Amino acid sequence: MRMALKVAAGFAVLVALAIAGVAVYVATLDANALVGPVAARVKAATGRDLAVRGGAQIALSLTPRIVLRDVALSNAPWGTAKAMATAQELELEVALLPLLSRRVELKELTLVAPVIALETDGKGRGNWDFAQAPAAAGDDAGGAAPTALAIGNVAIENGTLTYRDGATGGGTTVAIVRLAVHARSAESPIDVAFRGKVDAVAVALDGTLGPVASLLQKRWPYPVDVRGEVAGQKAALATKVNASGTRYALDDLKLTIGTSAVTGSFAAETGGARPKLQFDLAGPAIALNALPVPVAAATPGAPAPLPKAGRTHLIPDEPVNLAPLRAVDAQGALRLDRLTLTNGRVLDRLRMKVALDGGRLTVTDFTVGLFGGTLAGSAVVDATKPAAPVVTVDLTGKGLALGEILKAAGNPRDVRGGATDLSAHLTMRGASPHAWAASATGHLQVVVGPATLVNTQLDPGSALDQLTQAVNPFRTRDPSTELTCAVARLSLANGVARVDRSIAAESQKLGVAASGTVDFRNETLDFTFQPKIRGGVPIDIGNVAELVRVSGPFAHPAVSVDPMGSAKAIASIGAAVGTGGLSMVAQSLFSWADGKGPGPCQVALGAATPAGGSTAPPAATDPVKPMVEDLGRAIGKLLGR
């Protein structure tokens, strides 16, 4: 027992002497003498200059701290920022005993108020890709400084990190309230905690990363597993990072933010003329309206954009920024069960493949559930020539709900049925929606099936309600309109469609066909609608118009009843009342309902017209006299004579 006590006492004395020796060593060490050797080693390892402009200081304790003030690490020669990193203070907490073997073991490294500027050049090279400069033979920083370095914990407080893409000019700013990184050893997983903002979006994440040795030795894949909150929404990211040359990939990706979740893979090749993205993503849902996407703030002092001269277009004429299509290349596939757009509209079963090459975007194998039906097809946006972009769409819609279409168009109405099919094959040019419409060339067709339209109260200020009332005298007295079919078939040439009865609709009581012109260049239309009453249907002669004209700008078209057509209709019906028969004009209203010729919808779809090539009634020998006489008789009947 006495021997054990003597051994323990001897060991304690040795430890005390060792600590005393370290204390003496540290006390006599000039902290500023460390700056030169450390800067030399940083230069050898990175090719960059480390400046400690505020000097160094050692604070003695059981865990001494070395404090470097006003520190700066130089940037790459091509970088736009003067320094890659600066900090008000760099605090190094050092373990005592390893100093005896001339080894600096850092228990914690703390950066106070750092400013870190990460950026790439036009070729995708990052300023964090340090040029490895070999140390000169025998270089040991003069032999006066510690010869080894190990790092345990790292903390950053009140810092800022910026990232700038040299190819696109875009960037990201990260405000760091606190970043804490802890690892028991270089081969141990890293515990990480972050609190701060990314482009004004609050982020709080905790998780684990792979060992620091894996990063330094480029052992891939490198695991990442973090979770927390982003903009107040639960968030989680798990992936395996792989790198090969200038290609960086996120494999086995699982990302969740709020109600949005995707899995798959994402990669970026940064070594070419443009970054190239590759992705294969799928998921149950993405809600764009709930994602924490920050709104870019206006540049202080920047003048407000001036309004364009002339009339404001109903179809937006503001240019769509297509420059990003020329900044990157991409190829990938996206499969989502549910996609919620920023306006809250929900798309189901989205499937698409994307290829972007040199400013030409091609979307193929596109399908999506929309308005209760499906929309499928392809599209090409060719922005290779900035001054003359070309957009081509080839879409087919099946079983779309008429009621949902009317609601989306700003004319909600209670509709039952009305399955709608559409096809669009259009080529357009320009950089704005208005320019696309004004140059559209191709074909557009919409066909609506049987539907029940509940007749709601008319809005006298609505041109659509005025038109509906003018061509359908039954709307105000019938609880609903039983629609048999509706067709709109347009052939467009440079934004202009000329219609010859290729717009039509039929109900159980009447049919209507339209002819005229729609001009998307100046956003005007000029149509005449010809209602046709089915045989055997009672007619309220005070509400019948043979021709209705709609003309003017899209935003405020005017609806008028053709006076000659109305007079002829009244006269014809008046004559029928007086003679027990129908005049020629009245007969024309019933001509398509006898089953011998195509109806308005068939004509609109391109069916042959009745014999003679026209559905218009033959002209009277003397149209003026019969019309005046019939009109007189009609007025007489109306007055009870």
Side-chain angles (χ1 to χ4, degrees), residues 532-617:
K532 296 177 180 293
I533 309 300
R534 285 186 181 273
V537 176
I539 302 173
D540 184 346
I541 62 173
N543 290 324
V544 174
E546 186 179 357
L547 293 177
V548 178
R549 184 179 182 186
V550 180
S551 60
F554 288 176
H556 303 287
V559 179
S560 60
V561 177
D562 183 274
M564 184 63 71
S566 296
K568 289 167 67 179
I570 292 174
S572 300
I573 295 167
V577 173
T579 63
L582 294 176
S583 71
M584 193 173 298
V585 174
Q587 291 172 12
S588 71
L589 298 177
F590 295 88
S591 61
W592 65 274
D594 59 8
K596 297 181 180 179
C601 288
Q602 291 177 289
V603 173
L605 288 171
T609 58
S614 174
T615 58

Side-chain angles (χ1 to χ4, degrees), residues 207-230:
T208 59
L209 309 177
V212 66
S214 296
L215 279 180
L216 296 176
Q217 299 171 19
K218 299 183 178 180
R219 300 200 305 255
W220 312 110
Y222 184 78
V224 174
D225 188 355
V226 296
R227 60 192 64 248
E229 290 189 352
V230 176

Side-chain angles (χ1 to χ4, degrees), residues 431-511:
S432 72
H434 174 78
W436 298 335
S439 61
T441 298
H443 303 279
L444 176 65
Q445 178 173 295
V446 179
V447 179
V448 181
T452 298
L453 286 72
V454 176
N455 292 331
T456 56
Q457 184 176 0
L458 292 172
D459 178 4
S462 167
L464 181 60
D465 275 0
Q466 293 177 32
L467 172 62
T468 304
Q469 175 61 15
V471 299
N472 181 12
F474 307 102
R475 176 172 175 177
T476 55
R477 71 181 189 185
D478 291 347
S480 64
T481 297
E482 300 301 324
L483 186 69
T484 302
C485 62
V487 175
R489 182 167 60 91
L490 302 180
S491 292
L492 287 151
N494 297 319
V496 179
R498 305 189 187 281
V499 176
D500 182 10
R501 294 169 297 172
S502 61
I503 296 178
E506 296 178 30
S507 74
Q508 292 183 353
K509 291 186 176 182
L510 60 85

